[in-house]
Amino acid sequence: GSRMPAGARDSPPAFCSLFSADLSDSTLSYTETEATNSPNIAPGDFSDASTSPDAVKRSHWCNVAYWEHRTRVGRLYTVYEQSVSIFYDLPQGNGFCLGQLNLENRSETVRRTRSKIGYGILLSKEPDGVWAYNRSEHPIFVNSPTLDIPNCRTLIVRKVMPGYSIKVFDYEKSCLLQHATDLDYADGPYDPNSVRISFAKGWGPCYSRQFITSCPCWLEILLSNNR
């Protein structure tokens, strides 16, 4: 069937001058957090466990990191297949099961939000880009370099209702951005190939949570350049 638009409203342009992007706080790219992450994760957990001969031969198109607030939980999940389900519980589901990731002393907020992930999302690599389909019963919130408004310094976060999909990463737009960009993000690291998705809780100028690290359960989709 045809994809339905995400129907997310753009932030008013006024935000552009009022808010600078929250990159210094929230873009905890996995490269810089591997060394500084919570002590209960052993360094070995960051490598992918896929050692089947097929997995070695094929190239992956993305890695998925799962976070609870500022803490990385579990290992990086490497994706080789064209699409992947990321879920809490999914009957006969295979993919990245967040329900199996244990962490001691989870807060009540995190536990409540985890219970809302349900069937989660389907992440799919299409010829035009990467699509996320919201299979849960609650909204998801998405931030991506290719969903931002050009020359606008504010953070754009799209709300995607259950049953809807959104192109979270546009290959063509990404190429244009990378050629046209002289991004002088003095306020922190900027990853042009990273998409962030929060389950059930929004963040940014329109929400009480300013930074994604304030969201209880979120994903960092780290796209490979070799698509």
Side-chain angles (χ1 to χ4, degrees):
S2 61
R3 293 195 181 84
M4 301 174 77
R9 62 196 176 121
D10 291 336
S11 299
F15 279 130
C16 295
S17 54
L18 294 176
F19 293 89
S20 64
D22 68 328
L23 297 161
S24 57
D25 184 275
S26 70
T27 311
L28 289 168
S29 292
Y30 73 106
T31 45
E32 62 176 6
T33 49
E34 282 185 21
T36 58
N37 206 13
S38 51
N40 55 351
I41 296 180
D45 291 351
F46 287 95
S47 61
D48 183 66
S50 307
T51 49
S52 69
D54 289 346
V56 174
K57 271 181 245 160
R58 285 175 300 162
S59 61
H60 67 284
W61 63 272
C62 79
N63 284 307
V64 182
Y66 169 65
W67 297 78
E68 291 175 4
H69 296 298
R70 290 177 171 276
T71 303
R72 251 286 301 287
V73 183
R75 64 181 178 87
L76 275 183
Y77 186 89
T78 302
V79 182
Y80 299 93
E81 304 300 333
Q82 205 66 31
S83 62
V84 61
S85 292
I86 304 169
F87 56 92
Y88 187 83
D89 48 11
L90 189 64
Q92 291 90 46
N94 55 22
F96 191 8
C97 177
L98 305 178
Q100 293 176 346
L101 301 178
N102 297 317
L103 186 68
E104 285 179 27
N105 308 320
R106 278 195 168 106
S107 70
E108 187 55 36
T109 313
V110 170
R111 281 202 292 270
R112 271 202 311 271
T113 308
R114 276 172 65 80
S115 72
K116 293 178 178 177
I117 295 172
Y119 290 2
I121 63 169
L122 180 72
L123 202 62
S124 180
K125 181 177 184 275
E126 306 289 342
D128 61 340
V130 178
W131 287 78
Y133 175 63
N134 185 1
R135 304 171 77 179
S136 76
E137 294 177 5
H138 298 272
I140 59 171
F141 297 83
V142 180
N143 167 250
S144 159
T146 65
L147 288 172
D148 282 342
I149 296 171
N151 304 319
C152 178
R153 298 281 295 186
T154 192
L155 184 76
I156 305 294
V157 177
R158 310 275 182 180
K159 181 178 185 177
V160 185
M161 298 304 287
Y164 284 78
S165 62
I166 186 172
K167 191 197 292 188
V168 295
F169 197 81
D170 184 311
Y171 291 139
E172 201 175 321
K173 219 181 246 185
S174 169
C175 291
L176 291 172
L177 283 173
Q178 291 186 27
H179 286 119
T181 299
D182 50 348
L183 284 172
D184 55 336
Y185 279 100
D187 45 0
Y190 173 81
D191 185 348
N193 297 305
S194 171
V195 173
R196 299 174 294 170
I197 299 175
S198 170
F199 291 105
K201 305 292 182 187
W203 83 99
C206 301
Y207 298 91
S208 59
R209 294 172 176 83
Q210 289 299 293
F211 309 117
I212 193 156
T213 45
S214 305
C215 294
C217 305
W218 57 282
L219 302 170
E220 190 178 23
I221 317 294
L222 303 149
L223 296 159
S224 305
N225 285 322
N226 56 351
R227 62 177 187 84

